[in-house]
């Protein structure tokens, strides 16, 4: 068994309200989430000695967020830091926290995120590029990178916009069963097709929300987790993968490092795609879910379009994906709520949207210019 | 105040690229040691870490690698431009670059289509390389 397998448990999860929350800041939202995660696990604030944070898009202090957060929450940690990997941050921080606990640098680690992106006016419209910005050619915003992937996937494998729509429809149906979700009105493929174009081939309903909110995830050692309030959820395997190359790498658009991250997580856990009962797959855009499905081996190369048809990724289907609604419909917490939903599914606490008898959940994250990927396999203790 | 489109900021590294473009040539850095032609522009070869390089003229020909169309205005200077095409062009000599395929409706640009560079002059120092459909 690998060194980290089943050694670390996620014992507390907490989220603030989500959506448009005028008057909130990344710090107020993170504080709410932190308090709720403490309540969830039953630990006292004084017992949190690890603090790992992700600055919100509207946080002026940037990667010094760990200092601001520690000061705000009144914590002098044994171990701390911030990371800025966009949608790859949640998973990367949780994995870092797990390593810190396993190596004896901290006992109970809180991973915290808050962002007032909606009221703060964040539009995630930055242009990527190197010495010369891609903005010189009008290529702006996160949507463009995933649209490049979708365009090429469509050309090579015949993937269609309607198949992308299947992802949007599934996420929205799941959000309709989630009282905390921001967008709960069910949609159809026709609604997806009729929504306005953003960056072709993406319609509006291919794109995630922009949200205010905060999320906190608390970790501890598996043996200690038994004494806390909730049924512990163990991290069976974890893995990461990165490409720092963008156009310099021919397969950058296909995000091959996602497969690396998944292979590493599956190997650590001693599990494979057939063992996964439910998956929370990072969905900044619908296309991302298709790529995860291929990289995880749920289907073959180029086959994710047909795979998502017929409700296969909906609750009741073969592989329910993003059972709380995902970034597309629950709230855009840059993947942090994917972890929360993964934990709740493994606790069996999801009510109407619980996947009956689910014992293994895959959670993935990805951020920046498609660069940063990670995966975790969760299961109940 | 009228907002302006982003333009390259000319520095030591990228001035040869933009001056070559203004003179009608697509030029990129070729490693002096391993001869890898690199893009984006960098002081060092990402293959062999050599800092010796020269500028080499490319054919300006390539193939559309991926093609997207902006309908959303993400930058105020593009308000009157949407919808417009952005394509990744696979150049015949190896590198890929972000550019625009022009001269055809933006949604009709097809992955795999052959293209050739054209230069769109902006001022005395800068012409932006874009691409038009080509026969070969
Ligand atoms: Zn070299």
């Amino acid at each position: 068994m690998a060194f980290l397998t089943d050694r670390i448990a996620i014992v507390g999860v907490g989220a603030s309200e989500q959506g448009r929350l005028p008057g909130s800041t990344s710090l107020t939202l993170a504080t709410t989430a932190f308090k709720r995660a403490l309540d969830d696990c039953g630990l006292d604030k004084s017992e949190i000695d690890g603090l790992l944070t992700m600055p919100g898009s509207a946080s002026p202090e940037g990667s010094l967020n760990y200092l601001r957060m520690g000061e705000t929450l009144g914590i002098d940690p044994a171990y701390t830091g911030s990371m800025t990997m966009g949608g790859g941050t949640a998973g990367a921080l949780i994995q870092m926290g797990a390593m810190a606990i396993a190596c004896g640098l901290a006992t109970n680690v809180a991973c915290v995120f808050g962002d007032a992106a909606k009221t703060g006016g964040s539009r995630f419209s930055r242009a990527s590029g190197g010495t010369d910005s891609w903005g010189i050619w009008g290529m702006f915003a996160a949507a463009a990178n995933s649209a490049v992937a979708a365009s090429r996937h469509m050309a090579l494998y015949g993937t269609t916009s309607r198949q992308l729509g299947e992802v949007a429809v599934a996420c929205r149906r799941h959000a309709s069963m989630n009282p905390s979700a921001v967008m709960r009105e069910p949609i159809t493929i026709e609604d997806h097709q009729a929504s306005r174009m953003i960056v072709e081939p993406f319609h509006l309903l291919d794109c995630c929300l922009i949200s205010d909110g905060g999320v906190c995830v608390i970790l501890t050692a598996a043996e200690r987790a038994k004494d806390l309030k909730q049924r512990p959820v163990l991290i069976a395997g974890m893995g990461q993968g990165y490409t720092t190359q963008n156009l310099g790498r021919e397969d950058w658009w296909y995000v091959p490092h996602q497969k690396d991250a998944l292979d590493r997580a599956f190997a650590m856990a001693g599990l494979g795609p057939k063992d996964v009962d439910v998956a929370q797959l990072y969905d900044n855009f619908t296309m991302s879910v298709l790529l995860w499905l291929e990289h995880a081996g749920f289907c073959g190369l180029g086959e994710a379009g047909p795979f998502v048809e017929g409700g296969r990724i909906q609750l009741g289907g073969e592989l329910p994906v993003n059972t709380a609604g995902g970034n597309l419909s629950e709230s855009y917490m840059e993947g942090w709520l994917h972890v929360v939903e993964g934990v709740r599914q493994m606790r069996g606490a999801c009510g109407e949207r619980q996947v009956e008898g689910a014992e293994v959940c895959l959670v993935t994250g990805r951020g920046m210019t498609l660069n940063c990927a990670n995966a975790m396999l969760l299961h109940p203790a | 105040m009228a907002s302006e489109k982003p333009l390259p900021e000319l520095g030591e590294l990228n001035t040869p690229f933009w001056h070559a473009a203004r003179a009608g040539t697509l030029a990129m850095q070729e490693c002096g040691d391993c001869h890898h032609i690199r893009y984006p522009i960098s002081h060092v070869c990402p293959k062999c870490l050599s800092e010796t390089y020269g500028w080499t003229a490319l054919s300006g020909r390539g193939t559309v690698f991926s093609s997207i169309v902006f309908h959303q205005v993400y930058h105020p200077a593009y308000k009157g431009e949407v919808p417009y095409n952005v394509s990744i062009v696979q150049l015949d000599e190896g590198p890929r670059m972000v550019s625009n395929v022009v001269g055809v409706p933006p949604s009709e640009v097809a992955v795999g289509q052959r293209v050739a560079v054209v230069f769109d002059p902006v001022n005395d120092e800068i012409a932006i390389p874009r691409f038009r459909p080509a026969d070969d």
Side-chain angles (χ1 to χ4, degrees), chain A residues 14-18 21 28-30 32-33 36 180 212-215 333 337:
Chain A
S16 73
E17 283 65 36
Q18 304 287 322
L21 306 168
T28 64
L29 295 162
T32 302
R36 290 181 180 175
S180 305
D212 300 333
V215 183
M333 285 292 101
L337 287 173

Side-chain angles (χ1 to χ4, degrees), chain B residues 31-36 38 45-50 52:
Chain B
C31 176
D33 284 303
C34 78
H35 301 287
H36 171 61
R38 66 177 179 258
C45 172
K47 299 283 183 205
C48 75
L49 298 184
S50 169
T52 308

Side-chain angles (χ1 to χ4, degrees), chain A residues 123-125 129-141 143-145 147-152 155-156 196-201 207 245-253, chain B residues 6-9 13-14 17-18 39-42 46-47 64-75 78 84-86 88 90 96-100 106-107 111 128-130:
Chain A
R123 294 187 67 211
F124 302 91
S125 57
T131 305
D132 289 315
S133 165
W134 295 349
I136 293 165
W137 292 274
M139 182 161 168
F140 304 101
N145 307 313
V148 161
S151 161
R152 190 150 177 85
L156 292 181
R196 71 186 168 90
M197 281 292 184
I198 300 297
V199 179
E200 220 171 295
C207 305
Q245 312 297 308
N246 297 324
L247 295 177
R249 183 166 167 166
E250 187 179 3
D251 57 358
W252 157 75
W253 69 276
Chain B
L7 285 178
E9 292 166 25
L13 263 180
N14 65 350
F17 176 91
W18 291 104
Y39 189 81
I41 298 165
S42 172
K47 299 283 183 205
V64 175
F65 188 82
S66 179
S67 175
I68 63 179
V69 181
F70 279 76
H71 294 257
Q72 178 78 26
V73 177
Y74 288 103
H75 187 291
Y78 278 84
Y84 64 92
N85 175 275
V86 171
I88 311 291
Q90 170 67 66
R96 284 159 296 280
M97 67 181 292
V98 167
S99 189
N100 313 105
S107 300
V111 173
I128 297 178
R130 305 191 204 278

